[in-house]
Amino acid sequence: MISSICKCGKIVALERKVCPYCGKTMNSVEHGNVAEILTYTKLFTVPEGFKSPIFLTLVKLENGAKLLCECKNENDLEIDRKGKVIFEKEKYYFVSTKK
Amino acid sequence: MAGVYISGIGITKFGKRKESLQTLMYESYAQATESQESNFDAVFVGCMNPDEFVGDSNFATLIVDHLGLYQTPSVRIDNAPASGSAAFEQAYFSIASGHYQKVLVLAGEKMSNLSTGETTRILSKLIDKYERSTGATMPALAALVTRRYMHDYGLSREELAQAAVKNHYNGTLNPYAQFQKEITIDDVLKSKMISDPLRLYDCASISDGACAAILTSKKTDVKVSGIGHATDFLSLQYRDSLTSFNATKIAAKRAYDMAKKSPKDIDVAEVHDAFTILEIVNPEDLGFFKPGEGAAALIDGKTGLSGDLPINTSGGLKARGHPVGATGLAQICEIVWQLRGEAGKRQVPANIGLCHNIGGFVNNNIVTILESC
Ligand SMILES: [Zn+2]
């Protein structure tokens, strides 16, 4: 997993050159993929080119940054559910570690 | 700084309209200029996306040509669904600076030419590119906020539905509203699921419509006393809170400071209820209620027509309809009617009113305070 970190103390998920909080240059950092669900939705009316439904979740990564991604399994959609983020076919997915 | 006042206002009926966007704007303009001289120092046109929705660009020129305002300076303001209030804001500055004395603001959108799929695609472009790549739509982002708010504050699905029920009731009293029919909580809960937990009746409709307002340095009975504007991160991922919006809080503080008012001075408000959850969160962010108390205020009738602080007397985006570029100016028209005592069956006692218009997914917000004088 890659996040971007700024001297101002802010960390955002994925690669980003300019800090959205203060405008300074950010540096990339690699870190683990542990994550936890902050919120979620099952999206039925999807944009053209997508297959319905999409299980969307906003997760908190282990470094505190947030990431919007798909959830692999509908049954994992629960606030505070712990798991990890995996990268597959150009997309990030949340997978629960709890069975 | 010169004082800025509102004279004429005009609005078309919102909904699916067969007329062109310029014809709708002309209709609102004719209403606003009734029995007045129609020459202006400038024209400010709020419209989000005429290029894609109706296939016209250079729309500011098109409209002065269509209205017969030959040689008048004209500019189009695109500020996403806050284009109407942004055009009003720029018009305000043009008079406050002393450069102009009398200007026309027009705002409108015509969305019904396209299919729902195409419209959804255009509206999804308001979202950050990475977030959009996940398939996220505007209702999906609102659903993420709703789910978290329900978790943090114990908001029930039925309480949320009450926002749509209240605004549809108000819409029955507004002859310009797209929907003039009461609905029940059951109607909301049985409507099509869009993005769980939000259903069709939780979302503002696709609509056509236009509004007009004349701003002047000459004193009238309605003064523009405060305008506040603030942005937030494009991406939801960067926001600190999922149940409150900084762009509203900061824009509101700037408007209150400029008008030398506080939330308790406001008698009536139009807030941007593009989704039912926003009818609950916006009044909290505007300082009317504490965090987590927006739903109780709604259920207790505080924000109803006979409550202490009526909200969305027009029916809001939900029932009046949401032609994106028109909405901000439609809110201003409603507050002007309320302050003038011209709101008919939905009239409430009011001397000071507030409008809250959102651009993007709650990240480019404008708060305007109007006052009787
Ligand atoms: Zn920074």
Side-chain angles (χ1 to χ4, degrees):
Chain A
M1 214 42 242
I2 286 187
S3 286
S4 302
I5 187 161
C6 179
K7 286 191 193 93
C8 76
K10 294 288 185 181
I11 305 172
V12 301
L14 311 178
E15 283 195 86
R16 181 167 169 133
K17 282 201 179 97
V18 178
C19 175
Y21 296 86
C22 76
K24 292 200 184 82
T25 304
M26 301 194 97
N27 291 309
S28 300
V29 283
E30 268 202 58
H31 55 89
N33 61 356
V34 174
E36 183 183 314
I37 291 184
L38 290 171
T39 185
Y40 63 88
T41 183
K42 295 175 204 171
L43 172 60
F44 294 96
T45 306
V46 302
E48 284 166 334
F50 287 84
K51 202 169 142 257
S52 174
I54 303 173
F55 307 130
L56 274 180
T57 174
L58 185 70
V59 302
K60 190 174 162 187
L61 303 171
E62 60 183 58
N63 59 9
K66 300 185 195 81
L67 180 76
L68 185 67
C69 60
E70 274 186 60
C71 183
K72 276 263 169 178
N73 186 343
E74 179 177 1
N75 299 323
D76 291 343
L77 291 171
E78 183 191 21
I79 290 178
D80 294 336
R81 179 66 72 101
K82 294 183 178 37
K84 59 187 180 179
V85 172
I86 57 167
F87 191 67
E88 230 178 69
K89 291 180 193 152
E90 307 288 300
K91 277 193 164 185
Y92 291 95
Y93 293 91
F94 173 85
V95 192
S96 175
T97 43
K98 195 178 101 186
K99 279 286 159 235
Chain B
M1 204 167 69
V4 181
Y5 302 87
I6 300 177
S7 59
I9 52 166
I11 191 167
T12 68
K13 184 176 185 311
F14 282 14
K16 191 171 166 52
R17 299 284 306 251
K18 58 182 188 307
E19 300 91 333
S20 67
L21 180 55
Q22 55 268 36
T23 306
L24 293 174
M25 285 193 178
Y26 184 84
E27 186 183 322
S28 65
Y29 163 77
Q31 204 185 108
T33 51
E34 200 184 22
S35 72
Q36 289 198 40
E37 264 186 86
S38 49
N39 47 53
F40 301 96
D41 296 328
V43 182
F44 295 83
V45 187
C47 187
M48 180 177 113
N49 199 339
D51 308 64
E52 287 190 276
F53 283 130
V54 299
D56 283 315
S57 61
N58 196 11
F59 202 77
T61 313
L62 186 158
I63 205 71
V64 287
D65 179 297
H66 187 75
L67 267 49
L69 297 172
Y70 176 59
Q71 292 190 342
T72 310
S74 179
V75 63
R76 176 170 76 89
I77 314 277
D78 155 28
N79 196 38
S83 297
S85 58
F88 183 89
E89 179 190 37
Q90 296 305 317
Y92 172 90
F93 293 144
S94 77
I95 291 180
S97 70
H99 192 70
Y100 292 143
Q101 274 70 52
K102 187 180 162 202
V103 303
L104 173 67
V105 189
L106 293 167
E109 208 83 49
K110 184 168 170 72
M111 306 168 75
S112 71
N113 282 354
L114 305 181
S115 68
T116 304
E118 284 173 295
T119 303
T120 304
R121 178 184 59 78
I122 292 171
L123 294 176
S124 293
K125 289 182 185 175
L126 297 166
I127 299 170
D128 167 78
K129 204 165 184 176
Y130 166 74
E131 292 186 347
R132 216 190 307 160
S133 77
T134 66
T137 59
M138 296 290 276
L141 297 185
L144 292 170
V145 167
T146 306
R147 178 64 66 197
R148 186 72 208 192
Y149 191 101
M150 291 171 101
H151 173 268
D152 290 1
Y153 296 115
L155 171 73
S156 72
R157 201 26 281 216
E158 288 74 16
E159 287 173 323
L160 189 60
Q162 185 58 35
V165 171
K166 182 204 75 149
N167 288 345
H168 268 262
Y169 173 75
N170 292 354
T172 65
L173 307 175
N174 181 357
Y176 299 104
Q178 178 169 11
F179 302 106
Q180 301 181 24
K181 186 173 148 265
E182 282 193 65
I183 59 166
T184 64
I185 286 182
D186 215 39
D187 292 331
V188 181
L189 301 184
K190 283 184 178 151
S191 66
K192 184 185 168 198
M193 186 67 87
I194 303 292
S195 191
D196 179 53
L198 296 181
R199 293 174 177 272
L200 184 65
Y201 280 22
D202 289 297
C203 309
S205 61
I206 289 166
S207 191
D208 306 329
C211 314
I214 298 165
L215 295 190
T216 161
S217 57
K218 275 198 199 126
K219 193 171 178 299
T220 70
D221 55 351
V222 177
K223 184 183 179 184
V224 185
S225 46
I227 297 184
H229 189 163
T231 55
D232 200 348
F233 304 116
L234 185 60
S235 168
L236 194 65
Q237 295 178 160
Y238 302 160
R239 317 258 184 108
D240 293 327
S241 173
L242 295 173
T243 55
S244 164
F245 297 104
N246 273 331
T248 297
K249 287 183 177 175
I250 298 165
K253 182 175 187 316
R254 289 173 179 162
Y256 290 134
D257 286 352
M258 179 175 165
K260 299 186 176 66
K261 298 282 183 280
S262 75
K264 64 177 191 311
D265 296 321
I266 304 301
D267 300 318
V268 60
E270 287 284 304
V271 310
H272 193 106
D273 60 320
F275 303 99
T276 44
I277 187 66
L278 296 176
E279 172 90 15
I280 289 165
V281 173
N282 295 334
E284 296 176 3
D285 288 338
L286 290 164
F288 299 146
F289 311 111
K290 292 196 182 87
E293 294 184 0
L298 168 72
I299 304 303
D300 296 347
K302 281 185 190 161
T303 59
L305 287 181
S306 49
D308 294 342
L309 176 58
I311 288 180
N312 288 332
T313 56
S314 67
L317 280 62
K318 183 69 199 74
R320 183 186 52 227
H322 183 32
V324 281
T327 286
L329 201 58
Q331 295 177 323
I332 285 167
C333 287
E334 177 68 10
I335 295 299
V336 171
W337 279 317
Q338 289 290 352
L339 299 182
R340 286 184 173 155
E342 294 173 356
K345 288 180 184 162
R346 60 188 195 284
Q347 183 66 50
V348 299
N351 288 311
I352 302 172
L354 178 147
C355 303
H356 163 261
N357 190 197
I358 292 177
F361 189 69
V362 211
N363 46 22
N364 197 326
N365 301 358
I366 299 176
V367 172
T368 308
I369 298 174
L370 307 178
E371 201 173 344
S372 296
C373 59

